[in-house]
Amino acid sequence: MVSWLRSPWLLALLLLTALRLLAAALLPLSPDEAYYWVWSRDLQPGYLDHPPMVALWIAAGTALAGDNALGIRLLAPLGVMLASLALAGAGNALLPRERPGVWAAALLNAMPVINAGAVLMTPDTPLFVFWCLALWAVGRLHAAADGRWWLAVGALAGCALLSKYTAALFGAGLVCWLVAEPTARRWWRDWRLYAGGAAAAALFLPVVTWNAAHGWASFAKQGGRAGAGEGFTLRFLGELAAGQLGLASPVLLLLCATGAALAGLAWWRRADAGAGLLAALTLPAAALFLWQATGSRVQGNWPAILYPAACIAAAAFTARRWQRIGAWLGLGLTFLVVLQAGFAPLPLRRGSDPTLARLGGWAGLARDVEAARIAAGASFVAAEEYGLAAELALALPPGVPVVAIGDRWSLFSLPSPPPGQKGLMLRSLRRGEGPSLWPGAVPAAEAVRARGGVEAERYRLLQVETPAGTEPMAMLPRPR
């Protein structure tokens, strides 16, 4: 045990986790993270966009470290560290001859997309962590041939479903393996397989209940993204490929694709059940994403759940020399992204710099908006965009009410603002100059969000008064 604790890879993982915690504390929050923080202050079994796990994680983190960037993101670096240990164990359990666990974890931790999820707090982070833990539990099941592990698999898969609906792909891949792998078919006769499935369903039941009580709002929203659209096009396939080249890094993407294919070949040629599980958890879902991209956009973060199993396959079935090259290249790209996000050494415009678009200039915008509010004699600040409203709720001085307006807020239990109050509303000019959600809004001025002199976004400031009319409004929570 002592020698294992002193192993270089574990020390490297601890150092990487410390660096991620530092980045989590220092980097500005994105609008989505601020929005999920609002969730954590109004805990429910479900939300319009996703299940509630990210809200629970943020609530736990802020209870420990406060309503700040570190508190909101606290469990992300710690969770990914746990997921890395789980992936190493899963790799060695599924492929005991190759024992690829350490290298699989190294490849995964070198990917820019995984490093982003290890710092930023979005639903993808708990999904990724519970996916890796469920994969570890399946690895233990396979190695020990002990049906009691099905209970752990079900519980962890259920927690993944509580994180994001795409966790259903884990269950789908597992079913494919149970059907296609001769040595696994015996589990169909074991009651503990069904008990594990029941555990996953029980954990997910509150989300179903919430949807039933709210017109199936979340299922309808996310279900509307499924499918391949209305016509065939190669444009989205190109976007998907380009996105994965950047998010996984080119060499690691190639290694993962090659490894997954070779795992399928090992399953076919030598009946390697462990390799078969890796293929079942990657190839069908990858085919699904590729099919969807023939007619509609696949967000770049969606395929990230394929990389844990794919990294195990890559570590087992590809050349170690290329793994080293891929790992260093991935870490280098990650370093450049973090450097740009934190210090912006390159004056890149918004279209070329996603860190500027999502992270840049929020503190300065809040200062300018507060000055404009005082000058206008407004009692509150409002926004139509949920992420913008949440950013203002976190960044404005204490005591300044922040009002969000839009249909989604009818699904929250947050209070409405009192009538007869004058406010100042921000509206992004990227939305155009069309009608505002707030009837009677009067243009007053403009504000700019910028980082290092480079404009990220421009906003129209409008004078408004409560009530707004028929659109739902909510008073957002403020930091404690």
Side-chain angles (χ1 to χ4, degrees):
M1 173 65 78
V2 174
S3 61
W4 182 78
L5 290 174
R6 292 177 179 173
S7 64
W9 89 271
L10 183 59
L11 294 176
L13 180 61
L14 291 172
L15 175 61
L16 185 58
T17 301
L19 292 174
R20 287 166 173 168
L21 285 167
L22 180 63
L26 297 180
L27 291 180
L29 290 162
S30 71
D32 283 343
E33 290 178 290
Y35 177 51
Y36 300 135
W37 167 78
V38 173
W39 291 15
S40 75
R41 298 288 297 275
D42 186 33
L43 292 175
Q44 301 184 69
Y47 299 90
L48 175 63
D49 307 87
H50 298 290
M53 186 62 75
V54 66
L56 296 173
W57 278 38
I58 292 175
T62 54
L64 294 171
D67 290 315
N68 51 51
L70 179 60
I72 290 170
R73 296 166 169 164
L74 181 62
L75 295 193
L78 301 178
V80 172
M81 180 178 68
L82 179 61
S84 302
L85 296 172
L87 187 77
N92 292 339
L94 291 170
L95 300 173
R97 184 173 66 178
E98 292 86 359
R99 294 191 63 79
V102 169
W103 269 100
L107 297 180
L108 193 71
N109 278 276
M111 288 185 170
V113 66
I114 303 305
N115 280 291
V119 174
L120 308 179
M121 178 58 80
T122 71
D124 293 280
T125 301
L127 168 66
F128 171 80
V129 172
F130 287 117
W131 185 289
C132 288
L133 291 171
L135 180 58
W136 167 78
V138 176
R140 297 308 310 156
L141 168 79
H142 176 69
D146 186 344
R148 289 176 295 182
W149 280 103
W150 280 119
L151 302 176
V153 172
L156 293 167
C159 289
L161 270 176
L162 281 175
S163 304
K164 202 171 181 181
Y165 297 127
T166 46
L169 292 174
F170 186 91
L174 197 55
V175 169
C176 288
W177 181 69
L178 289 169
V179 169
E181 170 55 40
T183 63
R185 291 175 190 154
R186 67 185 182 91
W187 293 118
W188 292 110
R189 302 187 298 273
D190 193 317
W191 67 269
R192 291 167 294 189
L193 168 64
Y194 304 98
L203 284 168
F204 190 63
L205 182 60
V207 179
V208 178
T209 303
W210 182 91
N211 270 272
H214 293 84
W216 307 104
S218 184
F219 289 168
K221 182 181 190 305
Q222 297 300 339
R225 296 187 174 189
E230 299 180 358
F232 179 83
T233 177
L234 294 178
R235 178 167 66 96
F236 299 123
L237 275 172
E239 285 185 7
L240 176 61
Q244 296 313 298
L245 283 171
L247 291 172
S249 79
V251 175
L252 291 179
L253 179 63
L254 180 61
L255 290 176
C256 284
T258 303
L262 291 175
L265 194 61
W267 190 18
W268 175 265
R269 286 185 172 177
R270 64 173 195 253
D272 188 327
L277 177 64
L278 299 176
L281 288 175
T282 52
L283 299 179
L288 178 64
F289 288 133
L290 289 171
W291 167 76
Q292 181 165 347
T294 61
S296 61
R297 178 170 285 108
V298 174
Q299 299 296 329
N301 56 301
W302 293 359
I305 52 178
L306 307 183
Y307 291 128
C311 281
I312 294 176
F317 300 117
T318 64
R320 193 72 76 208
R321 175 174 175 267
W322 283 105
Q323 293 174 32
R324 292 190 179 93
I325 293 173
W328 283 113
L329 177 60
L331 288 172
L333 291 174
T334 297
F335 173 77
L336 292 177
V337 171
V338 173
L339 184 67
Q340 182 68 14
F343 302 99
L346 300 176
L348 300 176
R349 295 187 178 275
R350 177 191 173 101
S352 304
D353 186 357
T355 70
L356 172 63
R358 305 302 292 171
L359 305 180
W362 291 111
L365 176 66
R367 288 193 297 269
D368 293 344
V369 169
E370 174 62 5
R373 181 192 71 83
I374 294 173
S379 61
F380 67 88
V381 174
E384 295 177 345
E385 297 173 80
Y386 63 85
L388 173 58
E391 285 277 6
L392 294 171
L394 276 168
L396 285 171
V400 178
V402 176
V403 176
I405 180 171
D407 288 342
R408 70 178 58 240
W409 300 107
S410 65
L411 301 174
F412 288 77
S413 59
L414 298 170
S416 298
Q421 300 290 312
K422 293 183 179 181
L424 194 66
M425 188 177 79
L426 277 73
R427 192 167 192 263
S428 172
L429 291 182
R430 289 189 301 109
R431 298 169 64 93
E433 296 285 3
S436 169
L437 293 178
W438 203 303
V442 178
E446 289 188 1
V448 175
R449 177 167 63 89
R451 183 181 67 188
V454 181
E455 181 177 313
E457 197 158 3
R458 187 174 293 270
Y459 303 89
R460 178 80 70 205
L461 300 181
L462 305 102
Q463 294 178 348
V464 296
E465 185 174 342
T466 56
T470 59
E471 290 289 337
M473 294 186 297
M475 296 273 290
L476 298 191
R478 301 302 317 281
R480 290 166 291 204

